Amino acid sequence: MKSISASDSPKMIIASARVTRILGLTIALLLLFVGINTQFLFLAPAEDNLIDQDVPPLPLLPPKTNLSSPMILPPSSTINGENYYGYVVLVVSKAGEASRRALIRERYFGMRHNLVPCMEFNTDVYYKFYIHGGPPQEPWQRQLYEAERMEWNDMIEAPQGKPFGQEALLEWAAQELSVTYDYLIIQDINTFIHLPIIKRELDAGVIGEDTDTPYVINSDQPLNLIWGSFTGRSTDAKAVIIGSTAVDLLLINRGQQFRLQNRTPYFLTNMYRYYRAMSARLKDEIDARLGPEEAAEQQALLIPAFVQQENMMRWENNVESVHTEDWIVTDVIQDSEFAELATWTQVRSISVCVHHRSSSYYYQQLAIATSSFISYDEISRNDNVVNDGCSRELSRASVDNKRAYAIQQGYAFVARSMEYAYQDVKNRAAAWGTIDILEKILPKYKWVLWLDPKAIITDIDRSILEDLPDDIDFFFIDDGIFLIRNAVWSRRFLREVQKVQAEHPITALKQIMALQSNQNHILIVNEDSRSLWPVQQYIDCHNDAFQDYLLGHHKQSDVVEQQA
C-alpha cells in the first residue's frame, strides 16, 4: 500500500480523491460484485468472524505531555472559490441550548455578533447546528429560538417523527447538505473539540505525528476514513470525524449492520464491528484475483479506515486535568466551564467568513436591517404567533424574503432582537429598538435599508440603489421602510430622534424630519411613486396579498438554502 512521502501534498491528494471517489467507488463495486466471489457479503457472517460483543475494543491510553509546551496552530484558512469545503462542522443540539450555540460561534469561529453577518462561507470551513427534539416548550425559550434562527441562519431542523442518530446525520449530509466537503466533523453540543489541531492533523495526512503511535492516512483514499470512538459506549456518539468517501460507502452498506448478532445503538460502531469481522475475508478475496498494487488500491477504496480516537477524554470538572493531547473533551455541561476550557487549551477561532472593508471603509454597500424581536406576551398566548402578530411560517418566510434579496444583490442582512428587549431599562416602548439598531449598524455600511417584519421585497433582481440622487441622505418610503446613507448628517439626525420624548419612534422620526434644517437631506416618497421601489409595506399578516407572495410561488427559501 502506498505511503505518504514528504513530497506529497495532502491538499492535492484530497482534491484528486474528491474528483474520482464516486467513479472509483462505482467501478470497484462492479468489479467486486461481478468479477469477484462476494457470496459472504450477502450471507450472515460466520460466527467465528463476529466480534465478541461483550468485550468491546479498548482505546489506547494517550501519552501525557508537558502542558507548558506551546500548541502549534495552523495558519488562517484559505479563500474558498466554489461550493466546496475542506471541513464541514455539524454540531448536534436541542432547540433550547441557545447559550452554548452562542459560545461555539464565538470560540470556534470568532462570531461574537451578527452586525457584520456571514453572508458567504468563503474559507475552507463550513458549519451548521443540527437541531433535533422539536421546538422549545417554554415560551421564553421559543422567543429566543425563533430570534436566533432569524439572526444567524445557521440552524437546520431535523425532520419530526423520524429516527435520530448517527445514521440519520450521515444521510442528511449525503442528501440534504448543499455543499461538498472532504471531512465531516460531527459533535454533540456538550462536547468541546480543538478544531485547529484536528484540522492540522488531517491537513498534514498524519494523525498523532508527535505521539508514539502515529497513524498515516492512506494517500490513495484519504477520505475513506472514520476517526472516532467505537467502544459501544455512549462516548461513541459524542464526536467523530469522517471523510466524504466513507460517508458514501457506509450508507451504501448500512444494511450490513443488521447481520451483527448484538448491535449497539451507534451506527458507526456497528459498521466498525462489521468491517472488522469481514475485512480479512474481503482482502483475501481481492488478493486472490488482483495483483498486489491493484489489490491494495481496491482494498483502500472498499474498506474504510477506522481510526480509534485516542485524544478524547470525559470532562473531569477541572481544566487542570486536560492535557495538550486531549483534543476532544466530552460532557462539558456548564457554559462557564466550556469557555474556561477554550481558554485553557488556547484554542484559536477559525474564520468561516473573511470580511473585507472596501477602500471607502464600508464592509458592504448596503445592509438590509429588520426586527427579529418576538413579544413574550404574544408567544405565550399563541404558540404559533412569533413576530408582530405573524405566524411562525409567515415570519420565517418574511425573513427568507429579505435574506434572499441580500444574497442576490451582494448586500448584508442583519436581523436584531436584543435592542428591543432592553428598552424597558430605558423606560421606553420596545419599538424604540429600531433606532438603536440603525445607530449600531450604520457606521459599518454605506447604506442601511430598514424593513419592518411586514415589509417585503417584491423584485429580488432589482437593486434598490439604482438611480439614487447624490444629495439625499434619507428616503422615507413608508412607516416601516426607509433608506439611510452613512453620513455625518444621518448620524446627527438619528441622535436627534433619540432625544424626542414620544411613545413611538416613527412619531419622533417624523417630528425631526419636519424640521426645516433637514429638508434638503430628506426625500419622502409619495404614494404614486412607491411602485417604483422594489419593496412593499403591509398593514398586517392576514393580508391575502402578503400571504400569497410569501407562501406562494414567490417564496425565496431556495435561494437562502443555497447560501454558502
Side-chain angles (χ1 to χ4, degrees):
M1 191 173 295
K2 182 182 175 184
S3 62
I4 293 180
S5 68
S7 62
D8 288 332
S9 168
K11 286 292 185 181
M12 292 176 62
I13 292 170
I14 288 173
S16 175
R18 181 170 62 91
V19 173
T20 61
R21 76 172 190 271
I22 299 298
L23 179 61
L25 181 60
T26 303
I27 293 172
L29 287 172
L30 287 173
L31 285 173
L32 184 64
F33 292 151
V34 176
I36 299 176
N37 177 14
T38 58
Q39 184 180 12
F40 70 90
L41 284 177
F42 301 96
L43 299 175
E47 288 187 7
D48 58 353
N49 280 333
L50 287 176
I51 299 170
D52 184 351
Q53 304 300 311
D54 296 325
V55 185
L58 297 176
L60 298 175
L61 295 176
K64 297 296 180 181
T65 56
N66 189 348
L67 262 179
S68 62
S69 59
M71 292 188 175
I72 303 174
L73 298 172
S76 58
S77 302
T78 57
I79 301 299
N80 178 29
E82 55 186 83
N83 206 29
Y84 151 74
Y85 299 87
Y87 301 89
V88 170
V89 181
L90 191 62
V91 182
V92 180
S93 171
K94 291 186 177 180
E97 296 170 320
S99 61
R100 180 58 58 88
R101 289 192 291 270
L103 258 179
I104 287 176
R105 288 189 193 100
E106 178 182 354
R107 295 298 185 145
Y108 282 14
F109 310 117
M111 304 169 72
R112 290 182 292 276
H113 56 71
N114 70 331
L115 298 176
V116 182
C118 184
M119 300 300 296
E120 179 184 14
F121 289 87
N122 56 7
T123 72
D124 66 344
V125 178
Y126 179 94
Y127 83 95
K128 288 290 181 183
F129 291 101
Y130 191 89
I131 310 299
H132 70 100
Q137 298 303 310
E138 296 296 328
W140 68 270
Q141 288 183 322
R142 293 198 299 273
Q143 180 187 29
L144 293 176
Y145 177 74
E146 289 297 331
E148 179 189 8
R149 189 183 183 279
M150 295 180 204
E151 292 167 13
W152 290 98
N153 192 37
D154 60 0
M155 296 153 67
I156 302 295
E157 295 176 332
Q160 295 294 306
K162 289 188 177 182
F164 172 75
Q166 290 177 330
E167 185 176 349
L169 290 169
L170 295 187
E171 187 173 11
W172 175 83
Q175 298 180 3
E176 304 295 333
L177 187 60
S178 60
V179 303
T180 56
Y181 60 90
D182 288 335
Y183 292 103
L184 177 65
I185 301 174
I186 302 176
Q187 69 157 94
D188 76 359
I189 195 70
N190 292 319
T191 294
F192 169 84
I193 65 172
H194 202 302
L195 187 58
I197 291 183
I198 297 291
K199 187 175 182 296
R200 181 194 68 189
E201 298 290 299
L202 294 172
D203 285 346
V206 182
I207 298 173
E209 185 174 10
D210 298 329
T211 68
D212 295 333
T213 55
Y215 178 84
V216 179
I217 298 173
N218 189 297
S219 59
D220 290 327
Q221 293 296 328
L223 305 183
N224 200 8
L225 170 76
I226 303 101
W227 180 14
S229 173
F230 316 107
T231 65
R233 297 188 286 268
S234 61
T235 307
D236 295 0
K238 304 294 185 181
V240 67
I241 299 96
I242 180 167
S244 53
T245 300
V247 171
D248 296 337
L249 190 59
L250 294 182
L251 289 176
I252 288 172
N253 293 287
R254 70 177 80 185
Q256 303 295 352
Q257 65 178 312
F258 298 106
R259 295 201 162 96
L260 293 174
Q261 291 180 339
N262 297 300
R263 296 190 302 276
T264 75
Y266 314 112
F267 172 67
L268 294 178
T269 302
N270 291 338
M271 296 307 293
Y272 162 77
R273 294 184 177 188
Y274 169 75
Y275 278 104
R276 178 178 171 182
M278 304 307 295
S279 61
R281 191 170 177 180
L282 178 57
K283 289 178 180 178
D284 289 343
E285 292 282 346
I286 296 175
D287 286 339
R289 288 161 177 80
L290 300 175
E293 185 173 345
E294 189 177 2
E297 292 177 356
Q298 293 301 308
Q299 290 166 10
L301 180 63
L302 293 172
I303 304 173
F306 289 85
V307 181
Q308 182 67 43
Q309 178 57 262
E310 299 179 3
N311 303 93
M312 180 186 295
M313 66 168 289
R314 186 170 184 172
W315 177 243
E316 297 178 2
N317 297 305
N318 62 85
V319 294
E320 288 78 11
S321 62
V322 179
H323 299 77
T324 51
E325 71 274 9
D326 296 322
W327 306 336
I328 300 176
V329 183
T330 70
D331 300 285
V332 187
I333 308 301
Q334 297 181 41
D335 288 344
S336 59
E337 292 178 338
F338 188 95
E340 185 182 11
L341 182 57
T343 301
W344 174 262
T345 57
Q346 306 172 40
V347 66
R348 297 179 183 175
S349 60
I350 292 179
S351 177
V352 294
C353 299
V354 176
H355 298 289
H356 299 286
R357 286 186 186 262
S358 68
S359 58
S360 56
Y361 180 76
Y362 312 114
Y363 284 107
Q364 279 158 300
Q365 279 287 100
L366 182 141
I368 297 173
T370 193
S371 165
S372 54
F373 178 68
I374 299 163
S375 165
Y376 177 84
D377 292 338
E378 198 168 40
I379 200 170
S380 62
R381 289 194 302 267
N382 186 339
D383 174 55
N384 193 46
V385 174
V386 298
N387 196 348
D388 202 13
C390 294
S391 68
R392 179 178 289 106
E393 185 180 24
L394 280 171
S395 294
R396 291 182 175 185
S398 177
V399 167
D400 284 348
N401 166 264
K402 299 173 179 65
R403 181 177 278 115
Y405 179 65
I407 293 171
Q408 181 79 2
Q409 296 294 333
Y411 301 151
F413 174 75
V414 181
R416 300 286 296 180
S417 60
M418 294 309 294
E419 286 76 15
Y420 296 93
Y422 291 141
Q423 291 305 314
D424 58 346
V425 177
K426 301 179 180 180
N427 296 315
R428 301 196 302 186
W432 276 92
T434 298
I435 309 301
D436 287 358
I437 293 170
L438 290 173
E439 286 195 308
K440 189 166 291 187
I441 67 176
L442 185 59
K444 296 173 173 54
Y445 303 94
K446 187 173 182 178
W447 291 92
V448 173
L449 173 64
W450 175 263
L451 296 175
D452 271 0
K454 291 189 288 290
I456 60 174
I457 300 294
T458 56
D459 187 351
I460 192 173
D461 295 316
R462 182 183 169 194
S463 172
I464 201 165
L465 297 179
E466 290 179 0
D467 303 323
L468 294 180
D470 294 333
D471 57 344
I472 300 298
D473 295 318
F474 188 79
F475 296 84
F476 188 85
I477 304 167
D478 210 321
D479 283 0
I481 307 173
F482 32 88
L483 179 66
I484 185 168
R485 187 199 304 266
N486 185 349
V488 174
W489 174 88
S490 301
R491 293 191 289 274
R492 187 183 302 119
F493 171 75
L494 292 175
R495 277 286 88 197
E496 292 303 314
V497 172
Q498 292 275 30
K499 297 175 183 178
V500 176
Q501 299 296 315
E503 180 63 25
H504 199 280
I506 297 300
T507 304
L509 193 73
K510 291 179 177 179
Q511 182 175 327
I512 301 301
M513 285 169 55
L515 296 177
Q516 185 62 38
S517 59
N518 293 327
Q519 297 303 299
N520 292 335
H521 297 271
I522 296 173
L523 175 64
I524 299 176
V525 179
N526 59 45
E527 190 170 349
D528 294 336
S529 301
R530 286 176 188 170
S531 61
L532 301 176
W533 295 75
V535 290
Q536 177 69 49
Q537 173 78 33
Y538 290 91
I539 302 300
D540 61 63
C541 298
H542 303 292
N543 183 285
D544 290 340
F546 178 74
Q547 295 190 20
D548 177 67
Y549 193 92
L550 290 179
L551 304 181
H553 65 279
H554 294 286
K555 190 175 181 181
Q556 306 295 339
S557 58
D558 290 342
V559 177
V560 174
E561 183 61 30
Q562 293 169 6
Q563 173 192 1

